[in-house]
Amino acid sequence: TPEALPALIHPKNVEMFTLHHVFTKHELHSRYDILLENYSKTINIEALTMIDMVNKLIIPAVLDYENELAELIINKKSASTEIVTSLEENLLHKLAKLSECLGKRLEYLSEQTIAVREIKDSLELAKAYREKICLAMSELRLIVDELEMLVSSKHWKIPTYAEILNSVN
């Protein structure tokens, strides 16, 4: 969108639209500004929603599951020193690594979302949302997707992709 919209106000296109009485030059520029603003606002809302969902749903689910695994490991080891807990320990270790990465990527997305607000030019703002915010969201999403595959469904409150597909009638 940020790359395509400037074509709307390119002089040859403005000339064509005005020549055929489709739009006036002022209408094209207004449309251009509105479309850029809508793009930036939409990405901003999506980023804020993602931050909120990760904070309120993903992190608590991951922490609850990590805690459950840790308690299971402790209980097994206290029952008998001969019980092997390598599966649980490896899963807990993997979750801990992903949790750390989740925190860093969430922080980065939050920082970028605040930083782009300083940009005043609407085209530059839209480009920043595409280049910085969308990228940060994609990187965070990769971690969330990986966690979704590991965290017990008992703790995961968000419908999974499979659940959504199977719920369609």
Side-chain angles (χ1 to χ4, degrees):
T1 299
E3 287 81 20
L5 284 177
L8 188 62
I9 58 170
H10 188 275
K12 74 173 187 163
N13 293 331
V14 171
E15 181 183 338
M16 179 196 59
F17 281 118
T18 57
L19 179 68
H20 294 287
H21 304 290
V22 176
F23 294 114
T24 66
K25 182 178 179 179
H26 179 71
E27 288 172 330
L28 282 171
H29 280 274
S30 293
R31 215 169 256 276
Y32 168 78
D33 290 335
I34 289 167
L35 290 169
L36 280 175
E37 183 180 352
N38 283 342
Y39 175 83
S40 295
K41 283 184 176 181
T42 300
I43 301 300
N44 185 55
I45 290 167
E46 290 176 1
L48 294 175
T49 301
M50 185 177 213
I51 291 167
D52 192 52
M53 288 179 72
V54 169
N55 278 319
K56 293 180 180 174
L57 298 170
I58 307 297
I59 291 173
V62 172
L63 294 177
D64 284 348
Y65 190 50
E66 285 178 323
N67 186 54
E68 183 177 296
L69 281 172
E71 287 177 1
L72 177 61
I73 293 166
I74 291 168
N75 289 340
K76 280 185 164 185
K77 286 184 176 184
S78 68
S80 171
T81 56
E82 295 175 12
I83 295 177
V84 178
T85 59
S86 58
L87 175 74
E88 296 88 344
E89 289 176 26
N90 289 337
L91 180 56
L92 183 58
H93 183 69
K94 187 169 188 172
L95 286 168
K97 281 182 162 181
L98 287 169
S99 295
E100 181 183 4
C101 192
L102 179 73
K104 288 177 182 177
R105 291 188 184 182
L106 176 63
E107 184 179 339
Y108 181 72
L109 175 59
S110 298
E111 290 168 355
Q112 291 301 308
T113 303
I114 292 167
V116 297
R117 293 180 189 158
E118 301 300 318
I119 301 170
K120 302 300 177 204
D121 180 75
S122 57
L123 179 58
E124 292 306 312
L125 179 62
K127 286 180 180 179
Y129 271 107
R130 182 187 47 76
E131 294 165 4
K132 295 180 181 180
I133 304 302
C134 287
L135 179 62
M137 289 172 64
S138 293
E139 290 175 354
L140 178 57
R141 177 65 192 262
L142 291 173
I143 299 301
V144 172
D145 287 349
E146 198 168 341
L147 285 165
E148 179 182 348
M149 301 303 293
L150 297 173
V151 174
S152 165
S153 59
K154 176 175 86 174
H155 298 286
W156 199 263
K157 305 300 181 199
I158 302 169
T160 64
Y161 184 69
E163 290 170 341
I164 292 169
L165 282 179
N166 293 329
S167 71
V168 176
N169 294 326

